[in-house]
């Protein structure tokens, strides 16, 4: 794909959409994670909408959980049902959703005590590992939702993350 280098000025995010295999289980997971209830839940069956997704049709269930400044759309495609991607962080096209926290150590400990499985140890960016130095001292930890979507908690230092 070749696109023009002229900026399109897309600078505000509205939501992130996450395809899920079991909407009810995903609602329960994200409700526990965020402490928020869905602001919308419903169904859709539409060939025209499916075509916007590159699919012949779309029959789906969805729910939206709003964070401060970003919505999380959980979407269970019933027809056509898709296969799990088993996305890993190093696979092109994979993504992750990052949650900013004020007290990293307290949130990390609370999540571990609640049974969240982190993909590895928590990490603090150290001098000489990353440039620019704005990331120094930033704390991160990664985990997955029930379908393997990569999630992160972060306590940024300096100007590293919004």
């Amino acid at each position: 794909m070749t696109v023009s280098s002229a900026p399109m000025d897309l600078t505000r995010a509205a939501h992130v959409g996450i395809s899920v295999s079991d909407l009810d289980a995903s609602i329960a997971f994200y409700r526990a994670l965020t402490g928020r209830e869905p602001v919308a839940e419903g169904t859709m069956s539409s060939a025209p909408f499916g075509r916007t997704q590159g699919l012949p049709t779309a029959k789906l269930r969805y729910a939206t959980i709003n964070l401060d400044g970003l919505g999380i759309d959980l979407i269970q495609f019933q027809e056509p049902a898709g296969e799990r991607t088993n996305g890993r962080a190093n696979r092109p096209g994979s993504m992750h959703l990052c949650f900013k926290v004020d007290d990293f150590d307290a949130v990390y400990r609370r999540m571990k005590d609640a049974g969240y499985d982190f993909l590895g140890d928590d990490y603090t960016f150290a001098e000489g590992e990353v440039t620019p130095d704005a990331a120094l001292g930033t704390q991160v930890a990664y985990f997955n939702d029930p379908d393997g979507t990569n999630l992160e908690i972060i306590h940024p230092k300096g100007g590293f993350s919004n």
Side-chain angles (χ1 to χ4, degrees), residues 95-149:
M95 55 79 66
H96 72 268
L97 174 60
C98 182
F99 297 90
K100 187 189 290 187
V101 298
D102 292 325
D103 186 339
F104 182 90
D105 294 328
V107 172
Y108 182 76
R109 206 171 27 258
R110 205 165 64 242
M111 289 178 71
K112 285 196 72 95
D113 290 346
Y116 288 86
D117 290 325
F118 286 90
L119 300 176
D121 295 331
D122 62 312
Y123 181 75
T124 302
F125 288 96
E127 190 170 345
E129 292 180 324
V130 64
T131 56
D133 288 342
L136 294 180
T138 294
Q139 296 171 280
V140 298
Y142 296 87
F143 58 105
N144 287 338
D145 77 0
D147 287 299
T149 301

Side-chain angles (χ1 to χ4, degrees), residues 57-120:
T57 188
K59 180 178 178 187
L60 56 91
R61 295 178 59 218
Y62 68 89
T64 299
I65 294 177
N66 282 342
L67 305 178
D68 297 341
L70 182 72
I72 301 173
D73 287 353
L74 303 171
I75 307 161
Q76 179 183 350
F77 283 88
Q78 296 170 309
E79 292 177 22
E83 295 177 24
R84 185 174 164 157
T85 64
N86 293 319
R88 295 185 60 113
N90 64 339
R91 292 187 178 170
S94 69
M95 55 79 66
H96 72 268
L97 174 60
C98 182
F99 297 90
K100 187 189 290 187
V101 298
D102 292 325
D103 186 339
F104 182 90
D105 294 328
V107 172
Y108 182 76
R109 206 171 27 258
R110 205 165 64 242
M111 289 178 71
K112 285 196 72 95
D113 290 346
Y116 288 86
D117 290 325
F118 286 90
L119 300 176

Side-chain angles (χ1 to χ4, degrees), residues 150-161:
N150 294 316
L151 304 173
E152 174 188 8
I153 55 172
I154 189 171
H155 181 245
K157 301 289 183 177
F160 184 61
S161 179

Side-chain angles (χ1 to χ4, degrees), residues 25-69:
S26 293
I27 289 172
F29 177 87
Y30 283 93
R31 180 186 292 128
L33 187 65
T34 66
R36 306 263 174 109
E37 294 293 328
V39 296
E41 291 184 62
T43 61
M44 175 182 273
S45 184
S46 169
F49 177 74
R51 287 190 294 272
T52 70
Q53 304 284 313
L55 302 169
T57 188
K59 180 178 178 187
L60 56 91
R61 295 178 59 218
Y62 68 89
T64 299
I65 294 177
N66 282 342
L67 305 178
D68 297 341

